[in-house]
Amino acid sequence: MSRVPIRIRLAAAFSAGLIVVMGLVGGFVYVRVGNELTRALDTSLATRADDLGTLVQNEQAGTIDLGGIKSGEGESTFTQILDPNGQVVDSTVAGPAVLDSGQLAQARVGEITFTGLRVADVEAQSRALAFPLQAGDRSLIAVVGATTSDREEAKAGVVRALVVGAPFAVLLASLIGYILGARAMTPVELMRSRAREISLHEGGERLPMPPAKDELRRLAETLNEMLDRIEEVLRRERVFVSDASHELRSPLAILKSEIEVIGTTGGTKEELEAALDSVGEEVDLLIRLAEDLLIVARADGGRLPIKREPVDTGRLLARVSERHSARAARNGCRLVVADGGPQTIQVDPVRLEQALGNLVDNAVRYGAGTVTLQAAQSGDGEVLLSVSDQGEGFPPGFATEAFERFARASTGRGGSSSGLGLAIVRAIARAHGGDAAIVERDQPGATVVISIPNGI
């Protein structure tokens, strides 16, 4: 059934449900009609028994005569009077006693009713009422009965009506179920047709919303939300590819020009060495750019691997300072690790050193004076790792976009960087459940803070 169209399944379900309902209702009607007819028949037998009792009690013993009753009975009813031994005293039908020995014994004690009698001159089976009578000092057994053919004919009529009407009812239910299924699937068909036209090359293409606030509308809302997310991902991917292409174009162009110069002019040994040095620098730049792009791409996909372990913040900052101290000295800066007290956090030391290294690299390259590395505890339990310098700081308004990919300041802190350093810092911070931000200060310079929830 899972391969059958929904509208056909709905029609089949309607038909199956109607068949079950009609079967239950038909069975109830059949039993109810039978019971009512049996009750009516028993009432008629009781009335006749009362009349017979009155007649017999008014007759003198030995002179009982059912002649008047015989004229009123035909092929559908009968009356019989028996003595206690089962001998027929009088009867409206020919033949022996209608009661067998067991029924006769019960009738001597009290009134009994039974069905299934076969009586001569009475069509079909009969239902009878037998009861004891007293005619003077004589004990008798009276039997009044009637055929059950009328009851069986009425029950057969109910069955015929159900057999004839059920197919038409099932056919009508199937047709109604198919029409309702087709109408219910109209919004789905509209969404399907619209989905075939959506290419996401043009923004804002969405599925139509059904007017009713039902499951189909919630489905359309969910699918449109999914299209929003897909469109946003595609937009970011297009921007990423465009920016990456732009960043790769410059070093590749320099490499090509250097190779062309070497190939066409030959040059002196010193020129060749200088060209090779330039090529090496551009290759290093390409390698770093490729690694940075990989980190940003993994962070965007939520797949930036993090291996946490307990790390002492003082030792972490000391290692970062030691690694960058020589470069800081060449740029006229001095690295200082401020005492923030012992702190232990559960982080990935390699990733966090990379983030702090990017901040120190920015401070050494674009800042001036003393570059301070510090760890502190915030009021809400986070560990704050900050890098500050005494340079010109970030330009006004740049703090809101500084952590975007390929974002560069229009003044001194832009330079020739790829614009991925701070984006990587924020990606690593968020992979740890924290964040990164630029802190505004009254004094000159720039301060960037990485906040990490302390899980220990």
Side-chain angles (χ1 to χ4, degrees), residues 275-453:
L276 290 174
D277 290 341
S278 177
V279 168
E281 292 177 359
E282 297 303 325
V283 170
D284 290 339
L285 176 60
L286 285 172
I287 292 173
R288 289 196 303 272
L289 182 58
E291 292 175 349
D292 292 346
L293 289 173
L294 180 61
I295 292 174
V296 173
R298 287 179 174 177
D300 285 346
R303 303 186 305 274
L304 187 61
I306 295 296
K307 297 181 180 179
R308 296 178 182 267
E309 60 182 71
V311 175
D312 182 86
T313 57
R315 295 179 181 177
L316 176 67
L317 295 179
R319 285 199 304 269
V320 174
S321 176
E322 183 178 353
R323 286 177 52 195
H324 293 80
S325 59
R327 185 164 182 270
R330 288 197 300 270
N331 285 270
C333 297
R334 184 171 64 94
L335 296 182
V336 174
V337 177
D339 183 14
Q343 297 285 341
T344 301
I345 53 177
Q346 192 83 12
V347 294
D348 186 329
V350 177
R351 292 296 185 191
L352 200 54
E353 281 189 35
Q354 183 181 12
L356 291 170
N358 284 357
L359 295 181
V360 172
D361 183 71
N362 281 349
V364 169
R365 182 183 300 181
Y366 306 115
T370 301
V371 177
T372 304
L373 289 74
Q374 186 175 18
Q377 184 83 26
S378 68
D380 54 3
E382 290 185 327
V383 174
L384 306 179
L385 304 174
S386 63
V387 177
S388 306
D389 64 66
Q390 296 176 331
E392 297 180 3
F394 292 99
F398 183 68
T400 57
E401 59 184 54
F403 294 93
E404 297 294 328
R405 295 176 303 187
F406 304 106
R408 296 183 182 87
S410 57
T411 57
R413 297 188 77 93
S416 58
S417 70
S418 65
L420 292 174
L422 291 180
I424 292 174
V425 170
R426 172 165 283 180
I428 293 174
R430 288 182 174 176
H432 284 84
D435 207 347
I438 295 174
V439 178
E440 299 291 342
R441 301 189 309 172
D442 296 335
Q443 55 191 7
T447 298
V448 181
V449 176
I450 298 174
S451 58
I452 303 291

Side-chain angles (χ1 to χ4, degrees), residues 262-281:
I262 295 173
T264 56
T265 63
T268 64
K269 179 181 178 181
E270 290 76 10
E271 291 174 340
L272 290 175
E273 290 177 351
L276 290 174
D277 290 341
S278 177
V279 168
E281 292 177 359

Side-chain angles (χ1 to χ4, degrees), residues 22-23 77 86 118-119 130 147 206 227 286 289 299 394 400 406 411:
M22 290 188 66
T77 62
R118 285 290 184 178
V119 180
T147 181
R206 296 295 180 267
L227 289 175
L286 285 172
L289 182 58
F394 292 99
T400 57
F406 304 106
T411 57

Side-chain angles (χ1 to χ4, degrees), residues 14-38:
F14 265 80
S15 302
L18 182 61
I19 290 173
V20 173
V21 171
M22 290 188 66
L24 295 175
V25 172
F28 174 78
V29 171
Y30 181 83
V31 173
R32 183 65 182 229
V33 168
N35 291 338
E36 291 297 325
L37 292 174
T38 300

